[in-house]
Amino acid sequence: MLERTLQDLNRLRQIAYAVARHGFGSYLEKTRLRDVLGRDAPPVEGAPPPPPDHKTAARFRQLLAELGPTFTKLGQLLSTRPDVLPSHWIDELEALQDDCPPLPIAEVLHQIERGLGHPVEELFASLDEVPLASASIAQVHRAVTHAGEPVVVKVQRPRIREQIESDLALLHYLARLLEAVIEETGIYTPTDIIEEFDRTVHEELDFGNEARNAREMRDAAVGRKVVVIPRVHAELSSPTILTLDYVEGTKISDVRPENGHDLEQVAKNVIETSFRQLFEDGLFHGDPHPGNILVLPDDRIALLDFGLVGRLTRAQQEALVTLIVAVALRDPDTVARLLNRIGVPDSHTPIADFREDIRAILDRYLGLKLDEIRSATLLRDLLDLAIRHRIRIPKEYAVLAKASITIEGIIRRIYPKLDVLEVGLPYAKELLLSRFNPSDASGMLMKSLLKLQGLAEDVPSQLSQILVDLEGGKFRVNVAGEAMDRIGGHVRALGVMVFLGLLAAGLTVGGLVVLASRSAPVLGWLALGSAVVLSALAAAYHAASQRLRKISLRQLLQR
């Protein structure tokens, strides 16, 4: 236990040094982290200022990269959440490279044998010593089974779980520390982000989750001729080893017409696959960057790496369909109400202001081809707008927004004349019409009618109950506001200082009376000493409340 504590403290020192070195020393000072680490903690006042052309987001990316695998993964998670960070931070964090020096082949063989319980020679006919890729959590080798099937084997690095667990404990501590010194956290707190990262990274450490994702996506894609999902070899997989079919193809960012590829068809295949995953399966690839999409010689596409897969419920699919149709019809009122309904407003949002902002976005984008759009995408702008109006978007929609932005960027590179909405709108209309099909097996029409009937029956009785409560004096309205909370905080602080002052005054008077009577001089000096201590505490409390200002997260993220 003591050894683990010392290791954590040493790791915390490393983090503090890196934070100060990358120009975040002033924020480190406000967290009072030096009080925890001791006098030999990194000095922050004399830290050289960052170069003027070094933006805050870029320095943050460099900081995460320096701190190692756990923090690199945290940056990659944040890069998939445009609802948490501004777009220029997302763009910067996307550049985080998860490359690591490859493991020696002896360690790889030992990990395979340990994970699958048999010697490598019994499991594979051959295994390439040179890895196809080497990342912080795992590295990938090409192999051939004894049945002659080419496969890829994903091998988890040894001791990576222990390292991540240690860093996660520190991240939870730092998140709680930040919440005490951050002026405003928007609609997400540091603890919320770290808890989600904790769940995500533990899912990634268990390759069984990725295997299930791959199987579900492969089962859903049965019968579709435009997409290939590699098969999982269950007998050659475990929580630390994952074996899938090897797919031969060209990375989508490298396809060229001179290589015999029809770029328009490739782009349409990407769109069809994406929309069918959304509107038919409710299961979509959450990280479709160019390295995870291969183009086969016949222009079909193959998807790789299923560590991040998004899932939409039927209700979420329907909300998304209605949103797309409303965007296509230039209906800002419906778009505003949908975004307000599918999200969780942090405070009252004036729907009129929200609607007018959406109208401005729709007027700016609709009717343009992808090669005519020079600024951020429509989806990102809508998401940024919802955040600006303090509407918390569910994680599934945020992951979908990031995946859609990535897909749009890929299509812009290979075939910018394709109109994504025009190609995808028929799929949305198909799902929308199926909702009101009486023969629909899911019974959505009947469910909607039942909800309408229940609403018609419940509203009169609920309204009557409200009137009865109002008449009987049982109806209460609670009023809350940020200004009132601040006033309450000031009143509490004033109460603390007045209480300490009264105690100090009482002890001073009492001590002087006792000393004057000469009956118990020790008791008198003790009362005066206590009064001095209480006065000092009141003065320190007042000074600290004036001097220690919280970090402005909004100003930091705007840099």
Side-chain angles (χ1 to χ4, degrees):
M1 183 65 180
L2 179 60
E3 181 181 359
R4 173 66 180 273
T5 302
L6 292 175
Q7 290 176 350
D8 289 347
L9 187 59
N10 183 56
R11 178 60 170 161
L12 195 58
R13 293 178 189 274
Q14 295 175 2
I15 294 171
Y17 273 104
V19 168
R21 187 164 53 252
H22 284 276
F24 296 99
S26 60
Y27 299 101
L28 181 70
E29 182 71 13
K30 288 186 178 182
T31 64
R32 318 302 295 170
L33 194 58
R34 295 191 69 200
D35 297 341
V36 178
L37 298 178
R39 293 183 179 180
D40 57 339
V44 296
E45 296 297 337
D53 60 340
H54 233 183
K55 296 190 180 296
T56 305
R59 290 188 283 115
F60 184 66
R61 172 183 58 80
Q62 294 165 356
L63 170 65
L64 295 180
E66 179 181 328
L67 289 175
T70 308
F71 292 82
T72 299
K73 286 293 179 186
L74 175 60
Q76 290 174 339
L77 169 70
L78 291 174
S79 74
T80 67
R81 297 300 301 272
D83 58 325
V84 175
L85 293 177
S87 57
H88 66 284
W89 280 68
I90 295 291
D91 295 338
E92 191 65 44
L93 292 178
E94 283 180 337
L96 273 173
Q97 298 298 317
D98 194 16
D99 296 328
C100 290
L103 289 170
I105 188 61
E107 285 195 53
V108 173
L109 299 178
H110 176 70
Q111 282 297 100
I112 294 176
E113 293 179 3
R114 182 180 178 186
L116 298 179
H118 296 281
V120 175
E121 296 78 12
E122 296 181 10
L123 301 167
F124 302 100
S126 65
L127 186 138
D128 290 354
E129 295 189 3
V130 179
L132 294 174
S134 180
S136 57
I137 286 183
Q139 69 182 45
V140 180
H141 289 259
R142 188 174 177 180
V144 178
T145 66
H146 285 292
E149 298 174 301
V151 295
V152 291
V153 185
K154 186 175 181 179
V155 183
Q156 189 170 118
R157 287 179 173 267
R159 296 173 297 280
I160 188 63
R161 180 179 288 273
E162 290 79 5
Q163 180 182 347
I164 289 178
E165 292 283 1
S166 177
D167 282 345
L168 277 172
L170 292 179
L171 280 171
H172 281 287
Y173 168 75
L174 292 174
R176 291 191 295 269
L177 193 62
L178 280 175
E179 286 187 17
V181 298
I182 285 180
E183 179 181 307
E184 76 289 320
T185 58
I187 53 179
Y188 295 96
T189 67
T191 300
D192 290 337
I193 295 171
I194 297 305
E195 286 178 353
E196 180 186 332
F197 174 61
D198 193 331
R199 291 190 296 270
T200 302
V201 78
H202 276 97
E203 289 177 0
E204 189 170 349
L205 284 170
D206 184 0
F207 289 175
N209 290 311
E210 185 173 348
R212 283 189 291 273
N213 291 338
R215 279 194 289 267
E216 288 181 21
M217 295 199 73
R218 180 179 172 86
D219 292 342
V222 170
R224 296 175 191 166
K225 299 180 179 179
V226 300
V227 62
V228 172
I229 307 292
R231 175 171 56 96
V232 176
H233 292 254
E235 71 282 1
L236 297 174
S237 299
S238 73
T240 58
I241 307 294
L242 179 61
T243 303
L244 303 102
D245 285 339
Y246 175 76
V247 181
E248 185 74 46
T250 305
K251 195 160 66 171
I252 195 166
S253 57
D254 297 333
V255 294
R256 300 288 184 274
E258 51 267 26
N259 297 333
H261 291 289
D262 183 344
L263 299 188
E264 181 180 6
Q265 187 59 49
V266 172
K268 287 184 176 180
N269 289 345
V270 172
I271 293 297
E272 179 179 347
T273 298
S274 301
F275 274 79
R276 290 201 179 279
Q277 286 179 348
L278 287 179
F279 301 128
E280 294 183 13
D281 309 334
L283 187 73
F284 63 93
H285 199 297
D287 189 22
H289 64 76
N292 288 338
I293 303 179
L294 299 181
V295 179
L296 307 184
D298 56 0
D299 292 332
R300 292 184 301 161
I301 64 169
L303 299 180
L304 310 176
D305 192 354
F306 306 96
L308 179 60
V309 168
R311 288 172 169 81
L312 296 178
T313 64
R314 188 70 173 183
Q316 289 173 326
Q317 285 179 285
E318 292 170 2
L320 182 62
V321 168
T322 310
L323 178 63
I324 292 175
V325 174
V327 168
L329 296 176
R330 297 196 185 199
D331 184 356
D333 186 71
T334 301
V335 173
R337 294 187 183 281
L338 271 172
L339 289 177
N340 195 62
R341 194 177 74 216
I342 66 177
V344 181
D346 187 58
S347 59
H348 177 67
T349 302
I351 196 69
D353 296 343
F354 193 28
R355 181 177 58 245
E356 290 307 311
D357 288 343
I358 290 175
R359 187 190 304 278
I361 291 178
L362 297 182
D363 291 343
R364 185 168 72 246
Y365 280 104
L366 287 189
L368 299 179
K369 301 293 184 182
L370 285 179
D371 59 345
E372 297 173 318
I373 298 177
R374 301 300 178 189
S375 57
T377 64
L378 170 63
L379 190 54
R380 174 178 282 181
D381 279 358
L382 287 175
L383 192 60
D384 288 344
L385 184 61
I387 297 167
R388 193 158 64 247
H389 285 267
R390 301 187 66 81
I391 298 175
R392 183 194 294 243
I393 302 298
K395 173 190 172 183
E396 294 80 9
Y397 287 113
V399 173
L400 171 60
K402 178 60 172 61
S404 301
I405 291 167
T406 304
I407 290 292
E408 183 180 329
I410 290 173
I411 294 172
R412 179 183 286 115
R413 284 194 295 269
I414 64 175
Y415 196 75
K417 295 182 180 180
L418 189 69
D419 189 328
V420 176
L421 280 177
E422 182 180 342
V423 176
L425 195 57
Y427 301 102
K429 288 181 177 178
E430 183 179 337
L431 183 60
L432 189 63
L433 291 174
S434 69
R435 176 182 180 181
F436 300 103
N437 184 357
S439 62
D440 181 14
S442 64
M444 291 307 300
L445 177 62
M446 295 303 297
K447 290 178 182 178
S448 299
L449 292 175
L450 288 174
K451 289 179 182 178
L452 184 60
Q453 178 188 356
L455 182 65
E457 293 176 351
D458 292 341
V459 166
S461 60
Q462 292 173 354
L463 182 58
S464 176
Q465 183 63 48
I466 291 174
L467 293 175
V468 169
D469 291 342
L470 187 60
E471 182 180 0
K474 299 179 181 179
F475 189 82
R476 296 181 180 180
V477 177
N478 294 323
V479 179
E482 294 182 3
M484 295 180 63
D485 291 340
R486 284 196 298 270
I487 293 173
H490 293 324
V491 170
R492 285 192 295 273
L494 180 61
V496 170
M497 288 188 287
V498 169
F499 175 70
L500 292 176
L502 289 174
L503 281 180
L507 287 170
T508 301
V509 172
L512 291 175
V513 170
V514 171
L515 287 176
S517 65
R518 297 182 180 180
S519 59
V522 175
L523 187 59
W525 286 115
L526 183 61
L528 290 178
S530 301
V532 170
V533 171
L534 289 174
S535 300
L537 285 175
Y541 183 83
H542 176 73
S545 64
Q546 295 296 319
R547 184 175 67 87
L548 294 178
R549 296 183 179 273
K550 290 188 175 183
I551 300 170
S552 175
L553 188 62
R554 183 181 295 110
Q555 293 179 4
L556 174 66
L557 295 181
Q558 287 174 348
R559 296 181 182 179

